[in-house]
Structure formats: C-alpha cells, structure tokens
C-alpha cells in the first residue's frame, strides 16, 4: 500500500499538482481532450496500470525469464529515465501514445503477434503472414536483451537491442524507435500496409522514447522460471 501511495504521489508531482488541488479524473479529462466518463475511467486504468508496471515491474530480465509463449495485448511505450518521478510521468503520457499506436498496429497486422522463447534462447515472432526468428543474448544493462534475427537458420538479418520488463504474466518489450520500425517494415513488406509511415512520424516526434509490444503469457506456458 505504501508503494502504491508513493506512485500516486509521484503522479501528482509529475503533473505539478498539489495534494490539495489534485483531481486525477479531471486531469485525465483534460489530458485526453474529452468529458466522457467511461472513456476517462478506461484511460485512467490504462495510465495507472502503466505507472504501476513501469515503477513496480521487474527490469532485471534474462532470456531464461521469458521462456514460453506470449501473445500481443497492446503497444508498449517507455521513456529512458532512471528518475522515479520522471518514470512515473512518462508512464502516464505513454497510455495516450499507446492508444494512438494501437490503431496503426491493427491496420498493419501487428496485433496478431505471438512471441515464443525456447529453453535454448531461440525465439520466433509470428505475425499475421510472416515469422521472424533467431536467438536472444543478454545485454549489459538491466533488462537489455539482444535479438539476433536470422533467415533460413544461418543468414544474419541484424541484431536489435530490446528492453524487457516483466510484471507477473505480462511482458513489455520495447526498442529504439528506428529499430522497431525496421522490424515492422520487415513484416509489412509482406502485409503491404502503408500505416507505418504515419506511425513512424508519430513516434519520431517524442524524444527519449522506446516503443514495442506488451504481451501476456499463454495459459499453457505458465511454467517458466519468471513465474
């Protein structure tokens, strides 16, 4: 409970509100540009969920911690900061950005992603019509995973640094924007979507941001070491 209260206080500080004048519901209505109570309540849940996941999630993730099958649930956005208050504020802003991203992900067929990691650290990212595969190695920073993509088991397609955070059976994988767009372009070369140009413009307008995917572990793969 103390941790959750600290998170709420962090949000208050991040938005420059005093304890006496802070109105989360009103703040969200203003930030989201609407007065619909249902929309505001739903968005509030997304924002608070982002904050708790960002602050309380485990970022000391290794390839062994994510063995199993994971399915896409929504876009993911993180901001590069080690500061607690900045991280909380960034998580609040991320919910709005993720909502915009979801539309473009769906148009491009990215929302069908199934991500599978095996005991030997090999992986498969299966999208609507195309699968990418390779192996994962540990990076030097907390939660840094290096995805080494290959074709036909031997042709190297490049290495991409991702940042992983796990909270229970939820996994967030985010990449530098240019790397994410490169991965998505590999997929949409087959899908043929033009939505990624607009998505790229949106994401490039934010400094210090990473983006990627939130995934949920499937019920039949609940035996990984991170559980």
């Amino acid at each position: 409970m103390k941790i959750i209260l600290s998170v709420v206080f962090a949000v208050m500080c991040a938005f420059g509100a005093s304890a006496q004048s802070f109105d989360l519901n009103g703040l969200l209505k203003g930030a989201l540009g609407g007065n619909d109570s249902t929309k505001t309540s739903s968005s509030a849940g997304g924002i608070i969920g982002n904050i708790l996941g960002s602050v309380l999630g485990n970022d000391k993730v290794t390839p062994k911690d994510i063995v199993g099958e994971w399915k896409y649930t929504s876009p993911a956005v993180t901001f590069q900061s080690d500061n607690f208050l900045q991280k909380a504020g960034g998580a609040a802003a991320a919910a709005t950005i993720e909502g915009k991203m979801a539309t473009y992900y769906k148009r491009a067929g990215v929302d069908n992603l199934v991500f599978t990691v095996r005991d030997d650290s090999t992986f498969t990212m299966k999208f609507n019509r195309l699968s990418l595969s390779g192996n994962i190695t540990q990076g030097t920073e907390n939660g840094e995973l290096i995805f080494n993509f290959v074709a036909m088991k031997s042709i190297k397609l490049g290495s991409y640094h991702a940042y992983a955070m796990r909270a229970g059976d939820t996994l967030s994988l985010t990449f530098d924007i240019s790397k994410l767009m490169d991965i998505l372009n590999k997929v949409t070369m087959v899908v043929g979507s033009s939505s990624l140009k607009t998505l790229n413009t949106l994401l490039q307008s934010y400094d210090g941001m990473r983006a990627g995917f939130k995934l949920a572990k499937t019920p039949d793969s609940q035996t990984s070491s991170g559980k």
Side-chain angles (χ1 to χ4, degrees):
M1 177 60 73
K2 289 182 179 179
I3 294 176
I4 295 175
L5 289 174
S6 297
V7 172
V8 173
F9 177 73
V11 179
M12 293 165 61
C13 294
F15 284 97
S18 67
Q20 289 80 9
S21 64
F22 182 73
D23 178 355
L24 180 59
N25 196 53
L27 173 65
L28 292 172
K29 285 182 180 179
L32 295 168
N35 293 317
D36 184 273
S37 60
T38 302
K39 177 181 177 182
T40 301
S41 177
S42 176
S43 300
I47 290 174
I48 294 172
N50 270 4
I51 294 170
L52 292 175
S54 177
V55 176
L56 304 180
N58 175 27
D59 63 355
K60 296 178 175 63
V61 178
T62 70
K64 294 295 184 184
D65 294 327
I66 59 174
V67 170
E69 183 180 86
W70 305 79
K71 290 187 176 181
Y72 169 93
T73 58
S74 68
V77 165
T78 58
F79 288 88
Q80 303 175 42
S81 175
D82 294 326
N83 181 279
F84 178 84
L85 295 180
Q86 290 178 355
K87 185 179 290 187
T96 301
I97 301 169
E98 290 168 0
K100 295 178 180 179
M101 291 173 62
T103 300
Y104 299 108
Y105 272 17
K106 186 173 183 178
R107 291 176 184 171
V110 177
D111 58 336
N112 293 310
L113 169 63
V114 177
F115 174 55
T116 304
V117 182
R118 303 172 191 84
D119 289 328
D120 61 357
S121 296
T122 58
F123 74 88
T124 301
M125 286 184 176
K126 185 177 181 181
F127 294 89
N128 195 27
R129 302 181 187 178
L130 178 70
S131 293
L132 300 174
S133 61
N135 63 80
I136 306 171
T137 55
Q138 187 72 50
T140 57
E141 302 177 22
N142 283 346
E144 182 184 14
L145 303 176
I146 303 172
F147 284 72
N148 305 294
F149 289 91
V150 297
M152 300 177 67
K153 299 184 179 181
S154 60
I155 302 174
K156 296 181 180 180
L157 298 179
S159 297
Y160 299 81
H161 291 239
Y163 294 84
M165 180 173 290
R166 180 169 180 176
D169 293 326
T170 300
L171 175 66
S172 173
L173 285 178
T174 56
F175 302 79
D176 290 339
I177 301 304
S178 61
K179 297 299 184 182
L180 172 67
M181 297 310 302
D182 194 19
I183 293 171
L184 296 183
N185 280 320
K186 292 181 189 302
V187 177
T188 54
M189 284 176 63
V190 175
V191 177
S193 171
S194 60
S195 298
L196 294 186
K197 291 182 180 179
T198 307
L199 176 61
N200 185 51
T201 300
L202 168 68
L203 298 182
Q204 293 290 356
S205 65
Y206 297 93
D207 293 329
M209 189 177 79
R210 302 187 185 106
F213 320 102
K214 287 180 186 175
L215 307 115
K217 201 164 193 191
T218 58
D220 59 349
S221 60
Q222 299 292 342
T223 58
S224 76
S225 58
K227 173 68 176 172

